[in-house]
Amino acid sequence: QKEVEQNSGPLSVPEGAIASLNCTYSDRVSQSFFWYRQYSGKSPELIMSIYSNGDKEDGRFTAQLNKASQYVSLLIRDSQPSDSATYLCAVRPNRGSTLGRLYFGRGTQLTVWP
Amino acid sequence: EAGVAQSPRYKIIEKRQSVAFWCNPISGHATLYWYQQILGQGPKLLIQFQNNGVVDDSQLPKDRFSAERLKGVDSTLKIQPAKLEDSAVYLCASSPEAGINEQYFGPGTRLTVT
């Protein structure tokens, strides 16, 4: 069973702070990792993907992956009220097949207050 | 580039009735996914198509759910008969190829079963 666990929210940070979102996964063969942002009543929007150990930066977002420890995190620097949303961690095993199933966590609700 | 299109956006039906959802993926995307997202949870894959063939339907409740993608482009998901626990948002996603690329979601269909 492939489980994806995210730190329970809600997470509340002041504007301008760093928001840290964490995710752990149980399937060691997982190779692809994604962070989606979901505003209330909207569909998930892909914001970051990461495939190898280390950090990947895109603007104010940094994804960090540690396969040995089986965790992936998302840092949001200079948080803005518009970042207030639920952040979904998704993991995809890569077994060399055509299967593309994503396993999602429950999401962490982030609130950035002015 | 147009995104994933879905219709209807909202649907309210009574239990034991039937309902159908439609999805048109991003042009050129070979892989199409249907996810179910229950309130407060992450999306869960129901079925995955590669062109017009089913790749993964292991999580699809086949006694009541069916899906097709006859020409390898748009797709229809049907529920018959609906149960109260089917109340959820049904999300369609697409990717150029399975197992490699990121998935992009449509706006979803919010189903309420009364």
Side-chain angles (χ1 to χ4, degrees):
Chain A
Q1 185 175 357
K2 300 166 182 61
E3 295 183 354
V4 180
E5 300 288 339
Q6 295 187 242
N7 54 327
S8 58
L11 176 64
S12 181
V13 301
E15 184 175 358
I18 296 175
S20 178
L21 305 165
N22 299 318
C23 172
T24 60
Y25 58 95
S26 61
D27 190 344
R28 288 191 169 273
V29 300
S30 296
Q31 296 292 330
S32 305
F33 307 87
F34 307 90
W35 283 99
Y36 284 83
R37 177 175 62 198
Q38 188 170 29
Y39 292 114
S40 180
K42 302 295 185 181
S43 62
E45 173 192 9
L46 180 67
I47 55 172
M48 290 288 285
S49 58
I50 187 166
Y51 303 99
S52 56
N53 279 330
D55 296 358
K56 179 181 178 182
E57 186 174 319
D58 183 0
R60 297 185 295 111
F61 299 96
T62 299
Q64 300 174 318
L65 175 61
N66 185 322
K67 291 184 179 179
S69 300
Q70 295 179 239
Y71 85 79
V72 57
S73 63
L74 179 70
L75 300 178
I76 305 175
R77 292 182 302 281
D78 188 23
S79 295
Q80 301 296 311
S82 58
D83 294 327
S84 298
T86 295
Y87 289 80
L88 297 165
C89 172
V91 172
R92 183 175 63 214
N94 183 3
R95 301 177 183 272
S97 69
T98 59
L99 294 180
R101 174 197 291 266
L102 290 180
Y103 293 85
F104 283 87
R106 285 179 168 267
T108 298
Q109 185 177 343
L110 172 66
T111 299
V112 181
W113 45 276
Chain B
E1 179 182 74
V4 178
Q6 290 188 247
S7 67
R9 295 295 311 278
Y10 306 91
K11 191 74 176 178
I12 300 174
I13 62 172
E14 295 181 350
K15 59 183 179 183
R16 292 187 289 273
Q17 288 186 324
S18 62
V19 65
F21 312 128
W22 174 83
C23 171
N24 192 302
I26 294 172
S27 178
H29 280 196
T31 310
L32 185 148
Y33 313 80
W34 283 102
Y35 287 87
Q36 179 193 57
Q37 187 175 24
I38 294 172
L39 186 65
Q41 299 182 19
K44 182 185 79 171
L45 181 73
L46 292 175
I47 189 167
Q48 175 187 340
F49 292 94
Q50 178 73 13
N51 297 308
N52 61 350
V54 175
V55 173
D56 184 355
D57 63 356
S58 58
Q59 301 280 345
L60 187 73
K62 298 180 184 63
D63 58 334
R64 299 185 299 106
F65 286 64
S66 63
E68 59 183 14
R69 192 184 184 197
L70 293 177
K71 297 182 179 180
V73 180
D74 56 350
S75 176
T76 302
L77 176 69
K78 297 180 181 178
I79 308 175
Q80 181 179 13
K83 292 185 176 182
L84 295 177
E85 58 262 37
D86 298 332
S87 294
V89 176
Y90 290 84
L91 296 162
C92 180
S94 70
S95 64
E97 291 292 338
I100 300 175
N101 300 95
E102 296 87 353
Q103 298 177 21
Y104 299 92
F105 285 84
T109 297
R110 183 175 298 275
L111 173 67
T112 302
V113 182
T114 63

